[in-house]
Coordinates of all heavy atoms in Angstrom, one line a residue:
I80 N -34.1 -0.4 -13.2 CA -35.5 -0.2 -12.9 C -35.6 1.2 -12.4 O -34.9 1.7 -11.5 CB -36.0 -1.2 -11.8 CG1 -35.9 -2.6 -12.4 CG2 -37.4 -0.8 -11.4 CD1 -36.4 -3.7 -11.4
G81 N -36.6 2.0 -13.0 CA -36.8 3.3 -12.5 C -36.1 4.3 -13.5 O -35.2 4.0 -14.2
Q82 N -36.6 5.6 -13.4 CA -36.0 6.6 -14.2 C -35.0 7.4 -13.5 O -35.3 8.2 -12.6 CB -37.2 7.6 -14.6 CG -38.2 7.0 -15.6 CD -37.7 6.8 -17.0 OE1 -37.1 5.7 -17.3 NE2 -37.7 7.8 -17.8
N83 N -33.7 7.1 -13.7 CA -32.6 7.8 -13.1 C -31.4 7.9 -14.0 O -31.4 7.1 -15.0 CB -32.2 7.1 -11.7 CG -31.8 5.7 -11.9 OD1 -30.9 5.4 -12.6 ND2 -32.5 4.8 -11.2
G84 N -30.5 8.8 -13.7 CA -29.4 9.0 -14.6 C -28.2 9.5 -13.8 O -28.3 9.8 -12.6
N85 N -27.1 9.7 -14.5 CA -25.9 10.3 -13.9 C -25.7 11.7 -14.4 O -26.0 12.0 -15.6 CB -24.7 9.4 -14.2 CG -24.8 8.0 -13.7 OD1 -25.5 7.8 -12.7 ND2 -24.3 7.0 -14.4
L86 N -25.1 12.5 -13.5 CA -24.7 13.9 -13.9 C -23.2 14.0 -13.7 O -22.7 13.8 -12.5 CB -25.5 14.9 -13.1 CG -25.1 16.4 -13.3 CD1 -25.4 16.8 -14.7 CD2 -25.8 17.3 -12.3
S87 N -22.5 14.3 -14.7 CA -21.0 14.4 -14.6 C -20.5 15.6 -15.4 O -21.3 16.3 -16.1 CB -20.3 13.1 -15.1 OG -20.6 13.0 -16.5
I103 N -18.6 21.0 -4.6 CA -19.9 21.1 -5.4 C -21.0 20.5 -4.5 O -20.9 19.4 -4.0 CB -19.8 20.2 -6.7 CG1 -18.6 20.7 -7.5 CG2 -21.1 20.4 -7.5 CD1 -18.4 19.8 -8.8
V104 N -22.1 21.3 -4.4 CA -23.3 20.9 -3.6 C -24.4 20.8 -4.7 O -24.7 21.8 -5.3 CB -23.6 21.9 -2.5 CG1 -24.9 21.4 -1.8 CG2 -22.5 22.0 -1.6
L105 N -25.0 19.6 -4.8 CA -26.1 19.3 -5.7 C -27.4 19.2 -4.8 O -27.4 18.5 -3.8 CB -25.9 18.1 -6.4 CG -27.0 17.6 -7.4 CD1 -27.0 18.5 -8.6 CD2 -26.9 16.1 -7.7
S106 N -28.5 19.9 -5.2 CA -29.7 19.9 -4.4 C -30.9 20.1 -5.3 O -30.8 20.6 -6.4 CB -29.6 20.9 -3.3 OG -29.5 22.2 -3.8
N107 N -32.0 19.6 -4.7 CA -33.4 20.0 -5.2 C -34.3 20.1 -4.0 O -33.8 20.1 -2.9 CB -33.8 19.0 -6.3 CG -34.0 17.6 -5.8 OD1 -33.9 17.3 -4.6 ND2 -34.2 16.7 -6.8
T109 N -35.9 17.8 -2.5 CA -36.0 16.6 -1.7 C -34.7 16.0 -1.3 O -34.6 15.2 -0.4 CB -36.8 15.5 -2.4 OG1 -36.1 15.1 -3.6 CG2 -38.2 15.9 -2.7
M110 N -33.6 16.5 -1.8 CA -32.3 15.9 -1.5 C -31.2 16.9 -1.6 O -31.3 18.0 -2.2 CB -32.0 14.7 -2.4 CG -32.0 15.0 -3.9 SD -30.5 15.8 -4.6 CE -29.3 14.5 -4.3
K111 N -30.0 16.5 -1.0 CA -28.8 17.3 -1.1 C -27.6 16.4 -1.0 O -27.5 15.5 -0.1 CB -28.8 18.3 0.1 CG -27.6 19.3 0.1 CD -27.8 20.3 1.2 CE -26.7 21.4 1.2 NZ -26.8 22.3 2.3
K112 N -26.7 16.5 -2.0 CA -25.4 15.8 -2.0 C -24.2 16.7 -2.2 O -24.4 17.8 -2.8 CB -25.5 14.7 -3.1 CG -26.5 13.6 -3.0 CD -26.3 12.6 -4.1 CE -27.3 11.4 -3.9 NZ -27.2 10.4 -4.9
D113 N -23.1 16.3 -1.8 CA -21.9 17.1 -2.0 C -20.7 16.2 -2.4 O -20.7 15.0 -2.2 CB -21.5 17.8 -0.7 CG -21.1 16.9 0.4 OD1 -22.0 16.5 1.2 OD2 -20.0 16.5 0.6
F122 N -16.1 15.5 -11.9 CA -17.0 15.1 -10.8 C -18.1 14.3 -11.4 O -18.3 14.3 -12.7 CB -17.6 16.3 -10.1 CG -18.6 17.1 -11.0 CD1 -19.9 16.8 -11.0 CD2 -18.1 18.2 -11.8 CE1 -20.8 17.6 -11.9 CE2 -19.0 18.9 -12.6 CZ -20.3 18.6 -12.7
I123 N -18.8 13.5 -10.6 CA -20.0 12.7 -11.1 C -20.9 12.5 -9.9 O -20.5 12.1 -8.8 CB -19.5 11.4 -11.7 CG1 -20.7 10.6 -12.3 CG2 -18.7 10.5 -10.8 CD1 -20.4 9.4 -13.1
F124 N -22.2 12.6 -10.1 CA -23.3 12.3 -9.2 C -24.0 11.1 -9.9 O -24.5 11.3 -11.0 CB -24.2 13.4 -8.9 CG -23.6 14.6 -8.2 CD1 -23.0 15.7 -8.8 CD2 -23.5 14.5 -6.8 CE1 -22.5 16.7 -8.1 CE2 -23.0 15.5 -6.1 CZ -22.4 16.6 -6.7
K125 N -24.2 10.0 -9.2 CA -24.8 8.8 -9.8 C -26.2 8.6 -9.3 O -26.6 9.0 -8.2 CB -23.9 7.6 -9.5 CG -22.5 7.6 -10.1 CD -21.8 6.3 -9.7 CE -20.4 6.3 -10.4 NZ -19.6 5.1 -10.0
N126 N -27.0 7.9 -10.2 CA -28.3 7.5 -9.9 C -29.2 8.6 -9.3 O -29.8 8.5 -8.2 CB -28.2 6.3 -8.8 CG -27.5 5.1 -9.4 OD1 -27.8 4.6 -10.4 ND2 -26.4 4.8 -8.7
L127 N -29.4 9.6 -10.1 CA -30.2 10.7 -9.7 C -31.6 10.6 -10.4 O -31.7 10.1 -11.5 CB -29.6 12.1 -10.2 CG -28.2 12.4 -9.6 CD1 -27.7 13.7 -10.3 CD2 -28.3 12.6 -8.1
D128 N -32.7 10.9 -9.6 CA -34.0 10.8 -10.2 C -34.1 11.9 -11.3 O -33.5 13.0 -11.2 CB -35.1 11.1 -9.1 CG -35.1 9.9 -8.1 OD1 -34.8 8.8 -8.5 OD2 -35.5 10.1 -7.0
Y129 N -34.9 11.7 -12.3 CA -35.1 12.7 -13.3 C -35.7 13.9 -12.7 O -36.6 13.8 -11.8 CB -36.0 12.1 -14.4 CG -35.4 11.2 -15.4 CD1 -34.1 10.7 -15.2 CD2 -36.0 10.9 -16.6 CE1 -33.5 9.9 -16.1 CE2 -35.4 10.1 -17.5 CZ -34.2 9.6 -17.3 OH -33.5 8.8 -18.2
G130 N -35.2 15.1 -13.1 CA -35.8 16.3 -12.6 C -34.8 17.5 -12.7 O -33.7 17.4 -13.3
D131 N -35.2 18.6 -12.0 CA -34.3 19.8 -12.0 C -33.5 19.8 -10.8 O -33.9 19.4 -9.7 CB -35.2 21.0 -12.1 CG -36.0 21.1 -13.4 OD1 -35.5 20.8 -14.4 OD2 -37.2 21.5 -13.3
Y132 N -32.2 20.4 -11.0 CA -31.3 20.4 -9.9 C -30.5 21.8 -9.9 O -30.4 22.4 -10.9 CB -30.2 19.3 -10.0 CG -30.8 17.9 -9.7 CD1 -31.4 17.2 -10.7 CD2 -30.8 17.4 -8.4 CE1 -32.0 15.9 -10.5 CE2 -31.4 16.1 -8.2 CZ -31.9 15.4 -9.2 OH -32.5 14.2 -9.0
T133 N -30.0 22.1 -8.7 CA -29.1 23.3 -8.6 C -27.7 22.8 -8.1 O -27.6 22.0 -7.2 CB -29.7 24.2 -7.5 OG1 -31.0 24.7 -7.9 CG2 -28.8 25.4 -7.3
L134 N -26.7 23.4 -8.8 CA -25.3 23.1 -8.5 C -24.7 24.4 -7.9 O -24.8 25.5 -8.5 CB -24.5 22.7 -9.7 CG -24.7 21.3 -10.2 CD1 -24.1 21.2 -11.6 CD2 -24.1 20.3 -9.3
T148 N -29.5 22.9 -13.7 CA -29.4 21.9 -14.7 C -30.6 20.9 -14.6 O -31.3 20.9 -13.6 CB -28.1 21.1 -14.7 OG1 -27.9 20.3 -15.8 CG2 -28.0 20.3 -13.4
K149 N -30.7 20.0 -15.6 CA -31.7 19.0 -15.6 C -31.2 17.6 -15.9 O -30.2 17.5 -16.7 CB -32.8 19.4 -16.7 CG -33.9 18.3 -16.8 CD -34.9 18.8 -17.8 CE -35.7 20.0 -17.4 NZ -36.8 20.3 -18.3
V150 N -31.7 16.6 -15.2 CA -31.3 15.2 -15.4 C -32.5 14.6 -16.1 O -33.6 14.4 -15.5 CB -31.0 14.5 -14.1 CG1 -30.8 13.0 -14.4 CG2 -29.8 15.1 -13.4
D151 N -32.4 14.2 -17.4 CA -33.5 13.7 -18.2 C -33.0 12.6 -19.1 O -33.7 12.2 -20.0 CB -34.2 14.8 -18.9 CG -33.3 15.5 -19.9 OD1 -32.1 15.2 -20.0 OD2 -33.7 16.6 -20.5
A152 N -31.8 12.0 -18.8 CA -31.3 10.9 -19.6 C -30.4 10.1 -18.8 O -30.0 10.5 -17.7 CB -30.5 11.5 -20.9
N153 N -29.9 9.0 -19.3 CA -29.0 8.1 -18.6 C -27.7 8.8 -18.3 O -27.2 8.7 -17.2 CB -28.8 6.8 -19.3 CG -27.8 5.9 -18.6 OD1 -28.0 5.6 -17.5 ND2 -26.7 5.6 -19.3
T154 N -27.2 9.5 -19.2 CA -26.0 10.3 -19.1 C -26.2 11.8 -19.3 O -26.7 12.1 -20.4 CB -24.9 9.7 -20.0 OG1 -24.7 8.4 -19.8 CG2 -23.6 10.5 -19.9
N155 N -25.9 12.6 -18.4 CA -26.0 14.0 -18.5 C -24.7 14.7 -18.1 O -24.1 14.3 -17.2 CB -27.1 14.5 -17.5 CG -28.4 13.8 -17.7 OD1 -29.3 14.2 -18.5 ND2 -28.6 12.7 -17.0
T156 N -24.3 15.7 -18.9 CA -23.0 16.3 -18.7 C -23.2 17.8 -18.6 O -24.1 18.4 -19.2 CB -22.0 16.0 -19.8 OG1 -22.5 16.5 -21.0 CG2 -21.7 14.5 -19.9
I157 N -22.3 18.4 -17.8 CA -22.3 19.9 -17.6 C -20.9 20.3 -17.2 O -20.3 19.7 -16.3 CB -23.4 20.4 -16.6 CG1 -23.3 21.9 -16.5 CG2 -23.1 19.8 -15.2 CD1 -24.5 22.5 -15.7
D388 N -22.7 0.6 -13.2 CA -21.9 1.8 -13.1 C -20.5 1.6 -13.7 O -19.9 2.4 -14.3 CB -21.8 2.2 -11.6 CG -23.1 2.6 -11.0 OD1 -24.0 3.0 -11.8 OD2 -23.3 2.4 -9.8
K432 N -22.5 -1.7 -9.3 CA -23.8 -1.1 -9.6 C -24.4 -0.6 -8.3 O -24.6 -1.4 -7.4 CB -24.7 -2.1 -10.3 CG -26.1 -1.5 -10.7 CD -25.9 -0.4 -11.8 CE -27.3 0.1 -12.3 NZ -27.8 1.2 -11.4
E433 N -24.8 0.6 -8.3 CA -25.5 1.2 -7.2 C -27.0 1.1 -7.5 O -27.4 1.3 -8.6 CB -25.1 2.6 -6.9 CG -23.7 2.8 -6.4 CD -23.3 4.2 -6.1 OE1 -24.1 5.1 -6.3 OE2 -22.1 4.5 -5.7
N434 N -27.8 0.9 -6.4 CA -29.3 0.9 -6.6 C -29.7 -0.2 -7.6 O -30.5 0.1 -8.6 CB -29.8 2.2 -7.0 CG -29.5 3.3 -6.0 OD1 -29.6 3.1 -4.8 ND2 -29.1 4.5 -6.4
E438 N -33.8 0.9 -4.8 CA -33.0 2.0 -4.2 C -32.3 1.5 -2.9 O -32.9 0.8 -2.1 CB -34.0 3.1 -3.8 CG -33.3 4.3 -3.2 CD -32.6 5.2 -4.2 OE1 -32.9 5.1 -5.4 OE2 -31.7 5.9 -3.8

Side-chain angles (χ1 to χ4, degrees):
I80 295 179
Q82 293 287 94
N83 58 59
N85 300 328
L86 176 63
S87 62
I103 305 177
V104 180
L105 176 76
S106 62
N107 62 11
T109 61
M110 57 78 67
K111 185 176 184 179
K112 293 184 177 182
D113 63 271
F122 69 90
I123 183 170
F124 293 95
K125 296 181 179 181
N126 300 303
L127 302 174
D128 293 334
Y129 280 13
D131 296 321
Y132 290 88
T133 299
L134 285 169
T148 189
K149 178 179 289 188
V150 174
D151 56 6
N153 176 57
T154 300
N155 306 267
T156 60
I157 182 172
D388 296 332
K432 182 69 174 81
E433 294 181 357
N434 301 319
E438 182 75 22

